[in-house]
Amino acid sequence: MEKREHWKSKFGFILAATGGAIGLGNIWRFPYITGKNGGAAFVLIYIGCCIIVGIPLILAELSLGRRSQRDAVGTFKVVKPGTRWFWIGGMGVATGYLILSYYSVVAGWTIGYFFESLLGTFRKMGSPQAVASYFDTFSASPLKAIGFHGFFIALCMIIVIRGIQGGIERACKLLMPTLLGILLICIIRSITLEGSLAGLSFFIKPDFSKLSTQAIFEALGQSFFTLSLGMGAVITYGSYLTKKDNLASSGVMITFLDTLIAILAGFAIFPAIFAFGLPPDQGPGLVFRSLTNVFNAMPGGVVFAPLFFFLLIIAAVTSGISLLEVITAYFVDERGWSRRKTVLTMGTAAFLLGIPAALSFGRLQGISILGKTPFSFVESLTANYMLPLGGLMISVFVAYIWGRRKAIDEVKVGNPAFITGRIWVFLLRYICPFIVAQILLFGVLSEFTSPRVTSFANTLRSYLSIIDIVIAAGVIIGGAIYIISIKRAKRKEE
Ligand code: PFF
């Protein structure tokens, strides 16, 4: 077996891990889901999910990975040998495949749009309608959709073949700061446009009357998707950490940076969309249909259009490689394959699996799986169901099966001053599984349209929402008391 590599520096790990987290989920998916679900109120629920469920779960995955020094499946075999818990990791690898297969389709669109904007395609079009509907023509073309999808997977394969330090870490160190720089330039341009205020208010002024059960369900799915949780991606990156690293601060940092970039993307996109009077609820085509028009109409658009799509490509590449790495680590660690053989075979497999998603906007548009196109079906299945389910099982595994003592001890390695261990395990034990299971249940119920199911769901919701309020208040008050008492005790010791 090849010797296990580690990250070269803490900074390199943070950039690679945030690079994996920050991706199309932040700049393409977050704006379109927020636009569809009414804006600011949705954003608040999403941030709540990232803090209450996201941080504890990221830390759970990081500690599992570092403890085992193995891939998503092997981790469970090391931590609980002789049991079947490794199936959680197996589901994670399968989820990784499915996500990569359609993720690279969207990434392919961004590559295509980057070239089109460099060539000035959108500038030459007469009307805003023509620019917007170009997305339909573009995504319906089998040659373009499949070609760019393949191009993107090949790009990820080239990086992942080079391994951890020379491939992933090096690429992210260069790409992540570039991403932040370009995003800041786009925000300044967007909020200084005339009429941008309506977009700002849509994004930051919550209107809770617009919040549906479906929106809460999607906010949870989005928090899992954007933080790459529930499928072992964080376990895998955590497995390249050493005992010197501080897991708790890394987990908080990754969540903070990922949420920050999503919010910044919102500031870059909504003011511009509203400034040009375009609707925010256009679904997956939002950034492609709207922003091309925005760039066409704004001064300096010739430069900003390719710059923005380049930004999307960077975000997609650093996440695409993390998806491919989950699959690669599994075959290298568990099956003893070489990195090279794994990347070549599995990259090709993901390419083939993605073809139906790539054709969903053209040849396969009429095909429906439970009322959705192949693309939307796989997107909703993975983000709204498979990731939360994986996360639910990981939290149960860490809190009940691995056990409180061992989990906290692992986090304390490299961070002896870790004082919030009890709160962490408490959240993993009682809060995360409860919240995730509840939202999953309502998600499943909302897929049914029969009046009986709906009225049952409504009754259940009224009971559960009382429990939720009590829990939220308890978590806030209990957490505050706990932290204050620990600080006092420490001061006394000194
Ligand atoms: N977090 C990535 C994004 O926001 O684009 C998507 C993703 C990457 C999901 C890796 C899951 C994963 F394992």
Side-chain angles (χ1 to χ4, degrees), residues 20-26 99 103 225-228 231 233 319 322-323 326:
I22 295 168
L24 294 174
N26 304 60
I99 297 185
Y103 199 83
F225 187 87
T226 191
L227 294 172
S228 312
M231 55 155 279
S319 297
S322 78
L323 283 160
V326 174

Side-chain angles (χ1 to χ4, degrees), residues 113 121-123 125-140 276-279 282 284-294 296:
Y113 263 58
T121 309
F122 307 112
R123 303 227 136 224
M125 290 178 180
S127 68
Q129 284 77 14
V131 173
S133 61
Y134 183 73
F135 177 71
D136 302 320
T137 322
F138 180 89
S139 56
F276 291 98
L278 297 162
Q282 300 177 38
L286 178 74
V287 298
F288 298 96
R289 286 175 207 276
S290 308
L291 286 184
T292 34
N293 263 315
V294 169
N296 255 1

Side-chain angles (χ1 to χ4, degrees), residues 408-480:
I408 294 182
D409 284 350
E410 179 58 39
V411 181
K412 280 193 168 168
V413 179
N415 176 17
F418 180 57
I419 50 166
T420 36
R422 281 216 198 146
I423 300 185
W424 173 52
V425 177
F426 175 81
L427 289 171
L428 282 182
R429 250 193 200 166
Y430 306 108
I431 308 300
C432 299
F434 180 73
I435 295 183
V436 176
Q438 189 188 137
I439 298 180
L440 267 177
L441 176 71
F442 284 122
V444 174
L445 291 177
S446 71
E447 301 277 344
F448 295 89
T449 44
S450 107
R452 266 207 185 163
V453 177
T454 318
S455 94
F456 167 71
N458 285 338
T459 320
L460 196 64
R461 190 175 311 128
S462 52
Y463 286 116
L464 283 175
S465 49
I466 300 172
I467 303 180
D468 286 339
I469 293 170
V470 175
I471 287 182
V475 167
I476 295 169
I477 298 170

Side-chain angles (χ1 to χ4, degrees), residues 140-292:
S141 150
L143 195 69
K144 286 184 179 163
I146 296 178
F148 285 121
H149 154 63
F151 183 79
F152 176 78
I153 295 229
L155 215 60
C156 294
M157 284 161 69
I158 292 171
I159 298 177
V160 176
I161 263 187
R162 289 164 188 260
I164 300 303
Q165 287 192 10
I168 299 179
E169 186 168 349
R170 212 163 112 199
C172 291
K173 264 188 182 160
L174 176 76
L175 295 177
M176 294 315 288
T178 317
L179 178 138
L180 186 63
I182 301 178
L183 191 56
L184 289 178
I185 297 174
C186 290
I187 293 176
I188 296 172
R189 180 62 282 196
S190 176
I191 56 178
T192 49
L193 287 168
E194 204 173 313
S196 63
L197 231 57
L200 275 178
S201 130
F202 174 82
F203 190 56
I204 59 181
K205 229 168 136 193
D207 175 358
F208 285 97
S209 65
K210 286 186 188 155
L211 210 58
S212 61
T213 307
Q214 184 64 19
I216 299 175
F217 178 50
E218 291 190 357
L220 180 81
Q222 175 61 18
S223 69
F224 272 83
F225 187 87
T226 191
L227 294 172
S228 312
L229 286 175
M231 55 155 279
V234 183
I235 294 182
T236 307
Y237 271 27
S239 75
Y240 304 117
L241 284 171
T242 66
K243 298 285 176 201
K244 282 185 292 192
D245 294 297
N246 183 333
L247 301 183
S249 69
S250 304
V252 172
M253 186 75 138
I254 297 167
T255 312
F256 172 75
L257 289 175
D258 185 79
T259 312
L260 179 76
I261 296 288
I263 302 293
L264 290 180
F267 279 118
I269 291 168
F270 289 110
I273 288 179
F274 277 76
F276 291 98
L278 297 162
D281 55 347
Q282 300 177 38
L286 178 74
V287 298
F288 298 96
R289 286 175 207 276
S290 308
L291 286 184
T292 34

